[in-house]
Amino acid sequence: MENAPQYVIEMNHITKEFPGIKANDDITLQLRKGEIHALLGENGAGKSTLMSVLFGLYQPEEGEIRKNGEVVTINDPNDATALGIGMVHQHFKLVDVFTVLDNIILGAEDTKAGFIQKKAARAKVTELSRRYGLKVDVDAKVEDITVGMQQRVEILKMLYRDNEILIFDEPTAVLTPQEIDELMAIMKNLAAEGKSILFISHKLNEIMTVADRVTVLRKGKYVGTVNTCDTNKQELSNMMVGRPVQLEVVKDEAKPTDVVLSVRELCVPSHLHKKDAVHNVSFDVRKGEIVCIAGIDGNGQTELIHGLTGLDKTSHGTVTLCGQEISHASVKQRGINMSHIPEDRHKHGLVLDFTLEQNMVLQRYQEPQFQNHGFIRFDAVRKYAEGLIEQYDVRSGQGPITVARSMSGGNQQKAIIAREVDRDKPLIVAVQPTRGLDVGAIEFIHSQLVQERDRGKAVLLVSLELDEVMSLSDRILVLYEGEIVGEFNPKEITVQELGLYMAGAKRAEKGGEQA
Amino acid sequence: MKQFFGKEGTKNVLSSLISILIGLVVGGIVVFIVGMCTAKITPAAAWDGVRIIFAGILTTGRDAAGALTWGFNAANWGNMLFRATPLIMTGLSVAVAFKTGLFNIGAPGQYLMGTMVSLMLALGIPSDVVPPALIWIIAFLGGMLAGAVWGALPGIAKAFLNINEVLACIMTNWIAANVVTWAFDVSNFKNMVENTKSGYIYKTTYNGVATPKLGLNHIFPGSQVNAGILIAIVFAILMYILMNKTTLGYELKACGANRHSARYAGIHDKRNIVLSMAIAGALSAAGASLYFLSGNTEFFWSTYQSLPAIGFNGIPVALLALNNPIGVVFAGIFMAMLDVVGMQLTNLTAYNEYITDVIIAVIVYLSAFSLVIRMWLSGKKKKTANTAPAAKPKAEEPTADAVVAESAKGGENA
């Protein structure tokens, strides 16, 4: 089968233009039957556009799509489905209050005289689930099952529709290390059964583990297709970024000194339920170290940071910053000694309808250098913004007067980093600072955080990415269900072991006492 | 030329002008069809109606032969400016609230509270003790304060209890209508002397209080115009400066555009929401004060069953001006012009006053399309719009004459 010259899907010389930009410029992607083919590229490289073309959401200006050698036209997603193309989206498209079975058959129900034939459907789903090793509880409601199982439901949805070509869009972003391993096994299993898989990712580890071949895109252009067995991570990232990239974080041993932030027995109530989202959490962050809070999303990280930064009220415990108790201080008072790179750059980090320069002075517009008797000094704001843009290489269409909404995610994040780092506060709280960013931007942000640490700042990092946790932090605190269940030195723990703590399967003695 | 059309300001003005023109054209078509369908209106009279829709502000009457005469009608222009005054203020009220992310549908209630407090102060303070000029100032400020308080109430509900401001505003509107009716009912400001009319409050001139004319009555003889229009324009400029040049405006806009990031940045979002609504309320109430302190307007006090249309008309004024305070001045004058045009239609043709309301409604409705047209223009001009500096005040200046010139142009065409 592997030797058959026939490609199951060919996208030849695809060009797709949007006003002012070529999103895809002469891109060729050939998918063999039964292979796992990774599509690698930075944000804005054109991966999503290419997949949208394959799905019939966009019509290319040039190029052709072939299935099994025959030219096909795909005018809308229904055509794509008819051709056996299915997709697992990054954010699952499931109905929370429906059962797994109902979700799987939704939109493809077999009916007899208007009645759904659930018995037959159940048999088919059970058979598929057994055959491909996709363990699901068909009668559970989607809202009650784990993220990993939800993803298996999405995969079953595609299989139920007899799709032959499966597209996975950044499937591992929401999974724990153990779940990622399971997914990799499932994907290999599917490929072995003859399904062809397109795997969109910018995580090199996963691509090297699971993919047979990789097609790399850069800035809308086709860079090349290589066999994973003939290449390595460094080469792939260089292809993706277009220059040699520093994959590992370069940093010296941390030299922590005085305590900057001290948290004692902090409790933060949850917005979702009556219990505390953060329960009796205590830790210190010292000058010159990067402390990372690791954990699976939704284990109290957001609430902990909101409690620390003043966005939410705390119910118990104390927070001391630079010797001052700030447990009940306003956001503004806390801002005197703290800068905050927020988790959600659209919700908190930026006023999207403001210009870049207006966003650059979001906390500082009242400082004397930017205002005179209540009137904004526009020239000073402009000059300051231009300085930051230059220094941090924030790229945008119109410079300081670009509306933040129109900027790319990476540059939005760079703008926030620039603003927060330049405020020059003793403590930097960085929540998922590299989420959704590509290798080049991640490299930049990591080096900035390490640089700030070396300048004597205390850095509190919250990350869901284990690679980031392991490479960037000097000390790791694992948060599970709102409690710290362990404190580790990244050099003395493996990713696998850390994953067990994150999933709640293990609990350190010390953490147990605290909780 | 390309650069001029690429500017945001140009696009904004153009979109409003296009939608006004579409509104006028549709209004003209409606007038023509109604004329055709009505037995007593001849085709010639229908054609007159269409011409008045486009250029009613320039009609002076009919000559001996019965044909429409055109020219500068000072009384109409003066009345247009007089009627524009409260519209500009309520328009500012809605626009400022919009800019800060709030929909102030409470302008009618704020307008009524401003009316009540202004009139009570103007009529209640004895003018033999306090000079009328001082009474005017006290009444004006008192009215504004009342409106600010009335506007702040829904603001407080929104900020602290997360109650939608639209809901709270509608409630406070009707509370205001009933409070005002009750307060005047038990007062002794009811004008019982003039037997032909009932239910009105004394004119403030009864107590010697009236807005100064500042010579405007010489420019527009025979009209009600006074310095109120100048005060409204000053308010518009102040609001423009507040919203665009000051740190307070920055805060208010930040809260409106993204309450979460404002909170993140340490801005007091709750205080600013209340403040926005208080400013909006004060502006609406100031419109009422300027209207009723003019000295020759009467207030129908038994208003518990109806809300003042001027309050609601602030919404289309603000929409038409795309929430730009300077644009509000011209949008307000345009709306007042439609009023005058309506009167001309009633006076000079066989159309009755109700059809003029229909026409105005059609025009206002289509004027609200300016956002759609703006999007269409932006889509068209995207490629040329890359290096346009945001020189807003300069770009907006020509709007002024443009709106007025629009109607003049219409007249020439007709």
Side-chain angles (χ1 to χ4, degrees):
Chain A
M1 199 71 99
E2 275 78 37
N3 299 329
Q6 188 87 320
Y7 294 113
V8 59
I9 282 283
E10 285 175 87
M11 300 181 78
N12 294 329
H13 308 289
I14 299 288
T15 296
K16 175 67 199 167
E17 268 184 79
F18 293 112
I21 186 166
K22 268 192 182 179
N24 285 168
D25 186 1
D26 191 19
I27 291 178
T28 296
L29 176 73
Q30 291 161 323
L31 180 65
R32 287 181 187 142
K33 188 164 174 57
E35 78 164 342
I36 300 178
H37 194 118
L39 187 58
L40 175 68
E42 293 188 290
N43 290 314
K47 294 174 299 191
S48 307
T49 309
L50 191 65
M51 287 306 108
S52 299
V53 167
L54 183 57
F55 235 63
L57 295 167
Y58 295 137
Q59 299 307 315
E61 269 84 42
E62 285 168 45
E64 55 167 24
I65 301 173
R66 282 169 186 269
K67 171 146 195 244
N68 296 328
E70 285 169 37
V71 177
V72 290
T73 42
I74 304 176
N75 289 320
D76 57 47
N78 290 340
D79 292 351
T81 313
L83 289 169
I85 302 172
M87 185 157 176
V88 175
H89 294 269
Q90 190 175 356
H91 301 285
F92 304 145
K93 310 214 176 286
L94 298 172
V95 184
D96 275 353
V97 294
F98 274 20
T99 65
V100 167
L101 182 65
D102 289 343
N103 265 290
I104 291 172
I105 63 174
L106 184 67
E109 307 93 343
D110 281 327
T111 55
K112 200 175 268 178
F115 291 96
I116 299 175
Q117 298 300 300
K118 273 205 185 172
K119 220 172 181 178
R122 180 188 296 269
K124 184 171 175 186
V125 170
T126 317
E127 154 66 15
L128 285 171
S129 136
R130 193 190 50 74
R131 183 162 149 212
Y132 293 100
L134 294 158
K135 266 179 275 168
V136 291
D137 174 2
V138 286
D139 295 315
K141 282 189 180 166
V142 163
E143 61 188 355
D144 298 331
I145 63 178
T146 63
V147 176
M149 195 183 284
Q150 287 181 14
Q151 192 164 50
R152 294 199 285 274
V153 174
E154 284 279 5
I155 298 169
L156 275 171
K157 263 170 78 180
M158 296 195 295
L159 298 174
Y160 186 80
R161 286 156 181 75
D162 300 322
N163 289 329
E164 290 297 314
I165 297 120
L166 314 179
I167 305 172
F168 287 81
D169 185 6
E170 309 256 354
T172 58
V174 288
L175 302 182
T176 62
Q178 281 76 15
E179 285 173 323
I180 291 174
D181 289 345
E182 276 178 47
L183 177 70
M184 298 287 138
I186 290 169
M187 285 169 72
K188 283 186 171 163
N189 200 355
L190 289 168
E193 291 276 338
K195 305 280 183 191
S196 313
I197 296 178
L198 264 172
F199 175 46
I200 305 171
S201 182
H202 54 232
K203 288 186 190 164
L204 298 163
N205 281 336
E206 294 162 12
I207 288 176
M208 293 304 290
T209 317
V210 76
D212 301 311
R213 294 193 303 151
V214 192
T215 293
V216 184
L217 305 185
R218 185 169 73 233
K219 289 177 184 162
K221 289 200 171 65
Y222 175 76
V223 180
T225 302
V226 289
N227 294 323
T228 43
C229 51
D230 302 334
T231 185
N232 57 46
K233 285 202 297 186
Q234 187 66 48
E235 192 190 359
L236 281 178
S237 58
N238 294 358
M239 275 172 84
M240 170 162 72
V241 183
R243 64 178 165 82
V245 179
Q246 196 67 51
L247 277 181
E248 299 298 318
V249 178
V250 189
K251 62 181 174 108
D252 301 329
E253 197 66 27
K255 299 177 196 71
T257 55
D258 309 341
V259 172
V260 173
L261 175 73
S262 174
V263 179
R264 288 292 170 271
E265 295 178 359
L266 190 73
C267 296
V268 184
S270 166
H271 291 296
L272 300 174
H273 48 75
K274 291 216 168 87
K275 283 188 285 180
D276 286 340
V278 175
H279 187 67
N280 271 348
V281 164
S282 303
F283 63 90
D284 288 332
V285 185
R286 291 189 292 269
K287 269 187 184 176
E289 68 171 348
I290 298 177
V291 174
C292 180
I293 295 181
I296 298 164
D297 200 6
N299 274 287
Q301 295 96 325
T302 307
E303 289 85 354
L304 173 61
I305 295 304
H306 283 191
L308 288 181
T309 55
L311 287 170
D312 271 341
K313 286 197 172 70
T314 56
S315 56
H316 179 75
T318 57
V319 180
T320 313
L321 176 61
C322 299
Q324 286 172 309
E325 210 208 296
I326 55 160
S327 316
H328 303 288
S330 69
V331 177
K332 194 163 224 163
Q333 285 168 313
R334 294 177 200 227
I336 295 169
N337 284 316
M338 180 196 294
S339 60
H340 175 196
I341 299 161
E343 177 179 4
D344 189 332
R345 52 180 170 261
H346 290 167
K347 185 175 176 188
H348 289 117
L350 296 167
V351 181
L352 288 175
D353 292 320
F354 274 16
T355 60
L356 184 52
E357 61 181 0
Q358 285 175 315
N359 272 300
M360 285 296 197
V361 293
L362 198 57
Q363 297 102 333
R364 307 185 67 169
Y365 62 95
Q366 275 185 330
E367 289 178 13
Q369 53 168 322
F370 297 121
Q371 60 109 1
N372 182 14
H373 295 98
F375 286 86
I376 295 171
R377 293 173 57 180
F378 290 96
D379 49 343
V381 173
R382 175 70 51 91
K383 218 172 140 196
Y384 176 69
E386 276 169 352
L388 285 186
I389 290 167
E390 165 99 31
Q391 193 185 339
Y392 290 87
D393 189 30
V394 183
R395 289 179 210 168
S396 59
Q398 293 158 272
I401 61 161
T402 313
V403 176
R405 189 182 294 282
S406 68
M407 293 164 57
S408 72
N411 282 303
Q412 287 176 342
Q413 188 70 4
K414 271 187 176 177
I416 294 172
I417 304 265
R419 181 181 75 202
E420 296 304 320
V421 169
D422 198 72
R423 282 171 68 203
D424 204 18
K425 305 296 182 192
L427 174 69
I428 298 174
V429 177
V431 188
Q432 300 188 49
T434 58
R435 178 159 75 166
L437 303 186
D438 48 60
V439 179
I442 290 173
E443 177 194 24
F444 172 83
I445 288 165
H446 283 174
S447 69
Q448 284 295 327
L449 289 176
V450 171
Q451 199 180 318
E452 289 305 304
R453 179 200 77 168
D454 293 343
R455 285 181 59 214
K457 302 288 176 61
V459 179
L460 179 65
L461 174 77
V462 174
S463 180
L464 305 179
E465 303 272 348
L466 275 179
D467 284 349
E468 184 168 85
V469 171
M470 296 302 280
S471 61
L472 197 57
S473 56
D474 300 314
R475 203 143 60 80
I476 301 172
L477 304 170
V478 177
L479 202 60
Y480 175 71
E481 292 193 338
E483 293 175 17
I484 289 180
V485 293
E487 178 176 340
F488 309 98
N489 183 333
K491 294 197 184 72
E492 293 163 7
I493 188 167
T494 63
V495 174
Q496 296 312 321
E497 202 181 343
L498 200 58
L500 291 176
Y501 282 93
M502 286 164 63
K506 273 180 98 171
R507 212 179 168 102
E509 283 307 305
K510 195 186 159 202
E513 276 162 26
Q514 276 180 344
Chain B
M1 198 62 179
K2 258 186 185 170
Q3 209 195 351
F4 174 75
F5 278 110
K7 279 182 185 169
E8 282 299 302
T10 316
K11 266 188 272 182
N12 291 345
V13 171
L14 216 58
S15 64
S16 289
L17 289 183
I18 291 173
S19 49
I20 285 174
L21 192 67
I22 295 172
L24 289 174
V25 168
V26 174
I29 292 170
V30 171
V31 158
F32 192 73
I33 292 171
V34 169
M36 290 289 112
C37 299
T38 312
K40 63 176 178 178
I41 298 174
T42 62
W47 175 238
D48 280 349
V50 173
R51 288 197 292 170
I52 288 174
I53 288 296
F54 276 90
I57 194 68
L58 292 167
T59 52
T60 51
R62 289 186 182 276
D63 60 15
L68 288 174
T69 55
W70 306 94
F72 176 69
N73 187 333
N76 278 353
W77 281 78
N79 285 335
M80 175 179 80
L81 293 179
F82 178 69
R83 283 158 177 263
T85 306
L87 274 176
I88 290 170
M89 297 307 291
T90 52
L92 280 178
S93 165
V94 177
V96 167
F98 260 137
K99 280 248 174 189
T100 58
L102 297 164
F103 185 31
N104 178 25
I105 203 169
Q110 296 144 12
Y111 188 85
L112 279 174
M113 293 310 270
T115 308
M116 178 183 81
V117 173
S118 284
L119 282 177
M120 288 202 163
L121 289 172
L123 294 168
I125 301 175
S127 54
D128 44 358
V129 183
V130 184
L134 193 58
I135 296 179
W136 190 96
I137 291 169
I138 292 169
F140 181 69
L141 295 178
M144 273 182 76
L145 189 66
V149 169
W150 209 247
L153 291 179
I156 289 167
K158 165 94 175 181
F160 293 96
L161 303 169
N162 210 15
I163 294 171
N164 189 304
E165 76 275 12
V166 173
L167 207 69
C169 278
I170 292 171
M171 297 299 178
T172 51
N173 278 347
W174 289 106
I175 296 171
N178 285 280
V179 164
V180 168
T181 306
W182 168 79
F184 279 119
D185 193 27
V186 300
S187 77
N188 52 0
F189 302 124
K190 289 183 285 188
N191 189 353
M192 297 302 188
V193 186
E194 292 175 356
N195 285 328
T196 49
K197 291 194 283 185
S198 63
Y200 285 93
I201 297 299
Y202 288 109
K203 294 176 179 176
T204 55
T205 35
Y206 179 76
N207 200 19
V209 178
T211 313
K213 302 272 189 196
L214 291 186
L216 287 169
N217 52 336
H218 299 303
I219 306 174
F220 305 104
S223 75
Q224 294 177 292
V225 72
N226 60 33
I229 181 70
L230 302 179
I231 296 172
I233 290 169
V234 168
F235 265 105
I237 293 168
L238 286 178
M239 283 304 125
Y240 178 82
I241 293 170
L242 174 75
M243 295 312 288
N244 293 299
K245 304 286 179 197
T246 66
T247 52
L248 180 61
Y250 177 89
E251 277 189 20
L252 294 176
K253 281 191 291 183
C255 284
N258 187 343
R259 188 175 170 182
H260 299 288
S261 51
R263 247 164 70 74
Y264 153 82
I267 297 170
H268 294 290
D269 57 333
K270 289 180 175 147
R271 189 203 71 176
N272 282 340
I273 286 170
V274 177
L275 191 59
S276 288
M277 284 305 291
I279 292 173
L283 289 168
S284 282
S289 304
L290 290 176
Y291 189 71
F292 287 107
L293 292 177
S294 71
N296 46 25
T297 40
E298 293 173 311
F299 178 64
F300 185 80
W301 61 268
S302 185
T303 179
Y304 66 96
Q305 282 184 323
S306 66
L307 295 170
I310 285 175
F312 287 119
N313 284 347
I315 297 167
V317 168
L319 283 178
L320 195 55
L322 293 169
N323 300 324
N324 181 303
I326 304 297
V328 162
V329 172
F330 302 110
I333 291 175
F334 170 74
M335 290 280 292
M337 190 200 80
L338 287 182
D339 253 5
V340 173
V341 164
M343 288 193 307
Q344 291 292 81
L345 200 62
T346 320
N347 292 340
L348 297 175
T349 69
Y351 289 96
N352 66 28
E353 59 195 289
Y354 303 110
I355 188 70
T356 64
D357 280 346
V358 172
I359 307 302
I360 291 174
V362 166
I363 294 172
V364 168
Y365 181 74
L366 287 164
S367 300
F369 279 30
S370 54
L371 274 176
V372 178
I373 292 170
R374 201 188 110 90
M375 272 155 64
W376 174 73
L377 282 175
S378 301
K380 228 180 112 186
K381 302 275 155 58
K382 208 170 236 169
K383 280 174 189 170
T384 53
N386 40 14
T387 51
K392 271 199 176 157
K394 274 180 195 165
E396 240 95 57
E397 223 67 70
T399 345
D401 318 300
V403 176
V404 182
E406 186 57 46
S407 61
K409 228 187 271 170
E412 280 157 27
N413 293 342

